[in-house]
Amino acid sequence: MKKLFGSVWLVVVLGILVACAEDAPTNDAADDMPVPIAVDLTVTEEAEVNAPVKMAAVVTQGDDKVEDADEVEFEVWEEGKKDDSVRIEATDEKEGLYTAETSFAYDGRFHIQVHVTARGMHSMPVKEVIVGDGGHYEEHAEEGHEHGHGHADGFSMHFVQPENVAGNEATDLVVHLELDEKPLEQARVRYEIWSEADADQRAWVEAEETKAGEYAAAHTFTEPGAYQVQIHVEDEHDLHEHETYTIEVNE
């Protein structure tokens, strides 16, 4: 009788273990997470009045060049006049390259933002163009700050565009910097952040170098909407660079 009871108990235990193994979560969901698209935007950062300004966006997903983007448009506006922006549809040059061209009829500071929708994802990096003498505008930046007129030789910046940003939750801001194809270390990196609905209110967030050439900070966006994030980079050798990106914050 004891042997029979023991055998039955063993079968019950084995059955429970098998059921638990079948119900246990796997890593398949994590493995199925798509690799985010990356958009490398380049523009003519300095131009003369009425001279052509070239715009190009290289769209990739991991090692794959994205040739099937649903939408690639370049949005162009003058400093302080985003409501009057115009959009220019990109030409698909294949191999993940999308291009367009424009020009400006007077001196000024202009912004070019590429809107890329591909494979269920969206990315919107922004670059600045100085035309002629750059025009004259009321500055919102810190006293003494000067807008850069193009990157120093050998300098590159890659901002990790955050996805699905929610209001009132801390968002990680991460940028990778290189100089002469090597990580740029011991730089001062700050994130200047403002809402497009209220450009007068700006937050400045100091970044920490988390590893060689990588600078991170956390910021909480309190309201939904579009925000501009301008990354300022300085070092002891008088390097001063910046780039501006847009982040969409959900409710």
Side-chain angles (χ1 to χ4, degrees):
M1 186 66 178
K2 289 183 178 179
K3 288 185 176 180
L4 177 60
F5 178 78
S7 299
V8 172
W9 179 248
L10 179 60
V11 170
V12 171
V13 171
L14 289 174
I16 293 173
L17 291 174
V18 170
C20 291
E22 290 177 349
D23 293 339
T26 68
N27 291 326
D28 290 346
D31 293 339
D32 291 340
M33 289 293 289
V35 176
I37 61 171
V39 179
D40 182 12
L41 171 65
T42 58
V43 302
T44 305
E45 296 187 346
E46 292 184 342
E48 297 301 322
V49 173
N50 292 321
V53 173
K54 298 182 182 299
M55 304 170 282
V58 176
V59 186
T60 56
Q61 185 179 37
D63 295 329
D64 187 17
K65 296 176 180 177
V66 177
E67 299 188 62
D68 57 352
D70 299 308
E71 176 193 59
V72 180
E73 285 186 331
F74 295 93
E75 183 179 10
V76 182
W77 70 92
E78 185 181 359
E79 175 77 10
K81 299 181 179 180
K82 183 138 187 336
D83 290 342
D84 299 325
S85 68
V86 296
R87 293 203 177 206
I88 304 170
E89 186 174 353
T91 299
D92 184 356
E93 306 286 358
K94 307 302 182 184
E95 296 293 321
L97 174 63
Y98 300 83
T99 66
E101 188 174 296
T102 189
S103 62
F104 301 98
Y106 52 88
D107 296 339
R109 185 162 68 242
F110 298 86
H111 302 277
I112 296 177
Q113 180 175 39
V114 64
H115 295 262
V116 178
T117 302
R119 301 179 181 179
M121 290 171 278
H122 193 64
S123 184
M124 305 179 298
V126 179
K127 290 289 182 72
E128 185 179 83
V129 179
I130 302 298
V131 177
D133 66 9
H136 302 282
Y137 303 90
E138 179 183 352
E139 297 293 349
H140 295 289
E142 289 184 328
E143 183 178 356
H145 169 66
E146 296 180 0
H147 288 266
H149 286 195
H151 288 321
D153 291 341
F155 176 83
S156 67
M157 179 186 304
H158 174 65
F159 178 55
V160 181
Q161 189 85 26
E163 300 287 340
N164 301 319
V165 178
N168 292 314
E169 293 183 7
T171 298
D172 291 329
L173 304 175
V174 181
V175 65
H176 298 271
L177 306 176
E178 288 189 351
L179 187 63
D180 297 329
E181 300 183 352
K182 296 180 181 179
L184 176 60
E185 300 182 68
Q186 299 181 347
R188 185 190 184 191
V189 177
R190 295 174 296 162
Y191 294 93
E192 181 186 5
I193 304 166
W194 68 94
S195 167
E196 291 186 358
D198 186 7
D200 291 330
Q201 297 296 322
R202 303 199 174 201
W204 289 82
V205 184
E206 292 279 349
E208 178 183 355
E209 187 172 8
T210 52
K211 60 183 180 181
E214 179 182 278
Y215 298 83
H219 180 71
T220 299
F221 297 90
T222 56
E223 299 289 339
Y227 286 79
Q228 297 292 308
V229 176
Q230 188 168 82
I231 305 170
H232 297 262
V233 180
E234 301 172 78
D235 73 357
E236 60 183 3
H237 304 294
D238 295 326
L239 177 75
H240 192 161
E241 301 288 341
H242 67 262
E243 285 187 10
T244 306
Y245 299 84
T246 298
I247 292 179
E248 291 287 344
V249 178
N250 304 314
E251 294 185 2

